[in-house]
Amino acid sequence: MAETRDTITIVDNRTGKQIELPIRHGTEGPGAVEIGAFTKAFGLFALDPGFVSTASCESKITYIDGEEGVLLYRGYPIEQLAEKSSYTEVCYLLLNGELPTREQLGEFTHTIRHHTMLHEQMGRFFQGFRRDAHPMAILVGCVGALSAFYHDHLDIHDPHDRMITAHRLIAKMPTLAAACYKYSIGQPIVYPDNRLDYAANFLRMMFSVPCEDYQVDPVQSRALDVIFTLHADHEQNASASTVRLAGSSLANPYACISAGISALWGPAHGGANEAVLRMLAEIGRAERIPEFVERAKSKTDPFRLMGFGHRVYKNFDPRAKIIRGMCHEVLRQLHHSDPLFDIATKLEEVALHDDYFIEKKLYPNVDFYSGIILKAIGIPVNMFTVIFAMARTVGWIAQWIEMIAEPGQKIGRPRQLYAGHPAREYIPVERRG
Ligand code: SDX
């Protein structure tokens, strides 16, 4: 546990009463004031809509420095992991806290590859959806339903059960995601091929058909693997916080991950990658960029530049920088040019020179460029957030394990500032106006 060595004094100016609250310091970044004694001392709540200034937990998994644009997974810089590691190795790192030895990586890879299949009856779930159902709606339902198939290992207080659940979720998400896509286009669901690595297996399940051979494109596979790594975790974002809150009630982990997928779906969060592509298509040509930038600045227009801004990053999102660099390389290697990429780079240039965006420190975030690469790989726009959910599953389940395993873990139950009616008497309908 982080140490507490100094305090902060809070004075209630109404009564002169004061208390000293301990400040807990971590290993990186700001310390945190433990305000547990605050309400007891003053009879007041701390109000922080959107949790802008609130640390909900102590965690050892991911560190972000928003001012410097730093992202570390278990202390390793995202730039080094994206360049030198693999998503499977990053999953091991996030779950276990250390990079694996060669033997550990081999064992982990074998375990993940041998949990990729779905229970045959899962296939019937898809039949209940319309073909044009959004794949995120199907994914939310199917992941929540996974708990119905795994009563054998659902003791959340058993470390072994927690880890096998993590392995099952990481392994089955690509199979589920690809099945959502295949169902939506009326093609047969493709079984995983355990000889392939994570990203290659997913591409094959997405794009192969029974009537012909399918060769995984190594450029596509590598690009997708890096995108998975970049999306693996991001400390206490909205969906990770949702998973933690759901988990704090001791709900089963599949239900908690399903809740996380729901939270991620919003366009303010993981749904932004799909919204960026639709926005770029709506802009259509560089000449219209100023019109959209003005709309994004308008107080009366709800339009926002999708893929711009971040609660924590007030500098470049390091993931956006990596993906932007990849775009050039991937489009070149795939002999693919995309006018939307040209619009995106022009839009970034215009926005980053605009006083509004400079003053509010609005930079491109991870979602701004990721869709360009996914589109170049052939992934349909309505599958973009599904890809994000697949990649983030390891982060969610690592955060869930950390929360459940924490000594003294409590149910999350925030309070409120009540601004409604004081108590009043019921009026029978015949006496109402
Ligand atoms: C992700 O939290 C994470 O870590 C998330 C994530 C992860 O890996 O889990 O990084 C993934 O969700 C990335 C964010 C994807 N969302 C978008 O790209 C949607 C567009 N961006 C926003 O709506 C917004 O920037 C948020 C939601 C990302 C952050 O919102 P905040 O922190 O609550 O900031 P805010 O809404 O209070 O905005 C501050 C100001 C406001 O203006 P004022 O009221 O102060 O005058 O900046 C403006 C906003 O209007 N603003 C924007 C803007 N984003 C913020 N104006 C125009 N376009 C935008 N994109």
Side-chain angles (χ1 to χ4, degrees), residues 25-31 63 65 72:
H25 291 279
T27 48
E28 293 277 359
Y63 174 67
D65 181 328
L72 309 177

Side-chain angles (χ1 to χ4, degrees), residues 181-313:
Y181 171 62
K182 285 302 202 186
Y183 177 74
S184 72
I185 58 173
Q187 287 187 0
I189 290 172
V190 176
Y191 283 80
D193 177 342
N194 294 343
R195 293 166 298 183
L196 299 175
D197 71 27
Y198 199 86
N201 210 352
F202 174 66
L203 286 170
R204 183 182 164 281
M205 291 189 281
M206 280 285 289
F207 299 123
S208 75
V209 288
C211 38
E212 53 192 48
D213 286 342
Y214 176 79
Q215 287 302 319
V216 175
D217 179 322
V219 173
Q220 293 182 357
S221 179
R222 174 63 187 149
L224 204 52
D225 196 78
V226 173
I227 283 185
F228 290 156
T229 290
L230 296 175
H231 287 78
D233 192 50
H234 214 238
E235 64 137 87
Q236 305 313 315
N237 57 83
S239 52
S241 299
T242 301
V243 170
R244 279 180 172 262
L245 197 56
S248 75
S249 75
L250 309 184
N252 79 72
Y254 299 97
C256 298
I257 299 300
S258 178
I261 296 171
S262 300
L264 184 77
W265 196 357
H269 191 10
N273 56 14
E274 177 177 345
V276 166
L277 258 288
R278 300 194 192 286
M279 174 188 74
L280 293 174
E282 188 187 352
I283 292 172
R285 57 188 194 283
E287 297 72 37
R288 293 195 65 196
I289 287 174
E291 170 197 335
F292 282 80
V293 169
E294 287 315 305
R295 280 186 58 194
K297 292 156 59 176
S298 161
K299 282 287 173 219
T300 54
D301 187 331
F303 173 79
R304 287 191 165 184
L305 279 191
M306 291 288 108
F308 261 79
H310 198 278
R311 171 63 59 76
V312 177
Y313 289 123

Side-chain angles (χ1 to χ4, degrees), residues 234 237-238 267-270 272 296 299 304-311 314 319 356-357 360 362 365-367 388 392:
H234 214 238
N237 57 83
H269 191 10
K299 282 287 173 219
R304 287 191 165 184
L305 279 191
M306 291 288 108
F308 261 79
H310 198 278
R311 171 63 59 76
K314 301 309 172 190
R319 304 167 297 176
Y356 174 92
F357 290 85
K360 294 182 187 297
L362 303 174
N365 59 50
V366 66
D367 293 305
F388 195 150
R392 183 55 56 87

